PDB file of all heavy atoms in Angstrom:
ATOM      1  N   SER A 101     -14.881  44.645 -12.825  1.00  0.00           N
ATOM      2  CA  SER A 101     -15.083  45.498 -11.646  1.00  0.00           C
ATOM      3  C   SER A 101     -14.703  44.756 -10.378  1.00  0.00           C
ATOM      4  O   SER A 101     -14.452  45.374  -9.351  1.00  0.00           O
ATOM      5  CB  SER A 101     -16.500  46.078 -11.588  1.00  0.00           C
ATOM      6  OG  SER A 101     -17.466  45.087 -11.439  1.00  0.00           O
ATOM      7  N   ASP A 102     -14.600  43.433 -10.422  1.00  0.00           N
ATOM      8  CA  ASP A 102     -14.099  42.725  -9.245  1.00  0.00           C
ATOM      9  C   ASP A 102     -12.701  43.220  -8.873  1.00  0.00           C
ATOM     10  O   ASP A 102     -12.386  43.395  -7.700  1.00  0.00           O
ATOM     11  CB  ASP A 102     -14.061  41.205  -9.495  1.00  0.00           C
ATOM     12  CG  ASP A 102     -15.456  40.578  -9.427  1.00  0.00           C
ATOM     13  OD1 ASP A 102     -16.362  41.187  -8.828  1.00  0.00           O
ATOM     14  OD2 ASP A 102     -15.625  39.463  -9.959  1.00  0.00           O
ATOM     15  N   ASP A 196     -21.703  49.983  -5.812  1.00  0.00           N
ATOM     16  CA  ASP A 196     -21.351  48.986  -6.828  1.00  0.00           C
ATOM     17  C   ASP A 196     -22.533  48.889  -7.808  1.00  0.00           C
ATOM     18  O   ASP A 196     -23.522  48.223  -7.538  1.00  0.00           O
ATOM     19  CB  ASP A 196     -21.093  47.662  -6.092  1.00  0.00           C
ATOM     20  CG  ASP A 196     -20.815  46.488  -7.015  1.00  0.00           C
ATOM     21  OD1 ASP A 196     -20.926  46.630  -8.250  1.00  0.00           O
ATOM     22  OD2 ASP A 196     -20.488  45.396  -6.477  1.00  0.00           O
ATOM     23  N   TYR A 199     -25.384  46.576 -12.016  1.00  0.00           N
ATOM     24  CA  TYR A 199     -26.655  46.366 -12.737  1.00  0.00           C
ATOM     25  C   TYR A 199     -27.430  47.653 -12.988  1.00  0.00           C
ATOM     26  O   TYR A 199     -28.609  47.606 -13.310  1.00  0.00           O
ATOM     27  CB  TYR A 199     -27.532  45.388 -11.933  1.00  0.00           C
ATOM     28  CG  TYR A 199     -26.851  44.070 -11.689  1.00  0.00           C
ATOM     29  CD1 TYR A 199     -26.249  43.789 -10.469  1.00  0.00           C
ATOM     30  CD2 TYR A 199     -26.782  43.113 -12.700  1.00  0.00           C
ATOM     31  CE1 TYR A 199     -25.603  42.583 -10.251  1.00  0.00           C
ATOM     32  CE2 TYR A 199     -26.144  41.908 -12.486  1.00  0.00           C
ATOM     33  CZ  TYR A 199     -25.556  41.649 -11.265  1.00  0.00           C
ATOM     34  OH  TYR A 199     -24.921  40.454 -11.058  1.00  0.00           O
ATOM     35  N   THR A 222     -19.386  47.936 -14.459  1.00  0.00           N
ATOM     36  CA  THR A 222     -18.740  46.867 -15.213  1.00  0.00           C
ATOM     37  C   THR A 222     -19.286  46.814 -16.634  1.00  0.00           C
ATOM     38  O   THR A 222     -20.419  47.246 -16.883  1.00  0.00           O
ATOM     39  CB  THR A 222     -18.989  45.505 -14.531  1.00  0.00           C
ATOM     40  OG1 THR A 222     -18.468  44.459 -15.348  1.00  0.00           O
ATOM     41  CG2 THR A 222     -20.484  45.227 -14.328  1.00  0.00           C
ATOM     42  N   SER A 224     -19.515  43.877 -17.940  1.00  0.00           N
ATOM     43  CA  SER A 224     -19.882  42.460 -18.001  1.00  0.00           C
ATOM     44  C   SER A 224     -21.371  42.213 -18.181  1.00  0.00           C
ATOM     45  O   SER A 224     -21.761  41.174 -18.701  1.00  0.00           O
ATOM     46  CB  SER A 224     -19.445  41.748 -16.712  1.00  0.00           C
ATOM     47  OG  SER A 224     -18.053  41.804 -16.564  1.00  0.00           O
ATOM     48  N   LYS A 225     -22.219  43.125 -17.701  1.00  0.00           N
ATOM     49  CA  LYS A 225     -23.634  42.825 -17.645  1.00  0.00           C
ATOM     50  C   LYS A 225     -24.372  43.543 -18.776  1.00  0.00           C
ATOM     51  O   LYS A 225     -24.657  42.940 -19.805  1.00  0.00           O
ATOM     52  CB  LYS A 225     -24.188  43.191 -16.260  1.00  0.00           C
ATOM     53  CG  LYS A 225     -23.319  42.695 -15.075  1.00  0.00           C
ATOM     54  CD  LYS A 225     -23.460  41.236 -14.786  1.00  0.00           C
ATOM     55  CE  LYS A 225     -22.505  40.581 -13.809  1.00  0.00           C
ATOM     56  NZ  LYS A 225     -22.215  41.128 -12.520  1.00  0.00           N
ATOM     57  N   ARG A 233     -13.478  41.192 -19.463  1.00  0.00           N
ATOM     58  CA  ARG A 233     -12.986  41.649 -18.156  1.00  0.00           C
ATOM     59  C   ARG A 233     -12.643  43.136 -18.145  1.00  0.00           C
ATOM     60  O   ARG A 233     -11.473  43.531 -18.160  1.00  0.00           O
ATOM     61  CB  ARG A 233     -11.761  40.824 -17.705  1.00  0.00           C
ATOM     62  CG  ARG A 233     -11.903  39.317 -17.784  1.00  0.00           C
ATOM     63  CD  ARG A 233     -13.117  38.780 -17.057  1.00  0.00           C
ATOM     64  NE  ARG A 233     -13.163  39.142 -15.665  1.00  0.00           N
ATOM     65  CZ  ARG A 233     -14.250  39.695 -15.074  1.00  0.00           C
ATOM     66  NH1 ARG A 233     -15.357  39.913 -15.748  1.00  0.00           N
ATOM     67  NH2 ARG A 233     -14.212  40.021 -13.810  1.00  0.00           N
TER      68      ARG A 233
HETATM   69  C1  PLP B 401     -21.125  40.842 -11.695  1.00  0.00           C
HETATM   70  C2  PLP B 401     -20.854  41.713 -10.494  1.00  0.00           C
HETATM   71  C3  PLP B 401     -19.644  42.385 -10.313  1.00  0.00           C
HETATM   72  C4  PLP B 401     -18.392  42.075 -11.083  1.00  0.00           C
HETATM   73  O1  PLP B 401     -18.378  42.136 -12.356  1.00  0.00           O
HETATM   74  P1  PLP B 401     -17.052  41.950 -13.209  1.00  0.00           P
HETATM   75  O2  PLP B 401     -17.407  40.919 -14.194  1.00  0.00           O
HETATM   76  O3  PLP B 401     -15.905  41.585 -12.320  1.00  0.00           O
HETATM   77  O4  PLP B 401     -16.861  43.298 -13.798  1.00  0.00           O
HETATM   78  C5  PLP B 401     -19.504  43.250  -9.265  1.00  0.00           C
HETATM   79  N1  PLP B 401     -20.485  43.446  -8.387  1.00  0.00           N
HETATM   80  C6  PLP B 401     -21.650  42.798  -8.482  1.00  0.00           C
HETATM   81  C7  PLP B 401     -22.709  43.041  -7.471  1.00  0.00           C
HETATM   82  C8  PLP B 401     -21.861  41.903  -9.534  1.00  0.00           C
HETATM   83  O5  PLP B 401     -22.994  41.216  -9.602  1.00  0.00           O
END
Side-chain angles (χ1 to χ4, degrees):
S101 64
D102 284 339
D196 176 354
Y199 303 100
T222 174
S224 298
K225 314 283 170 49
R233 311 306 303 130

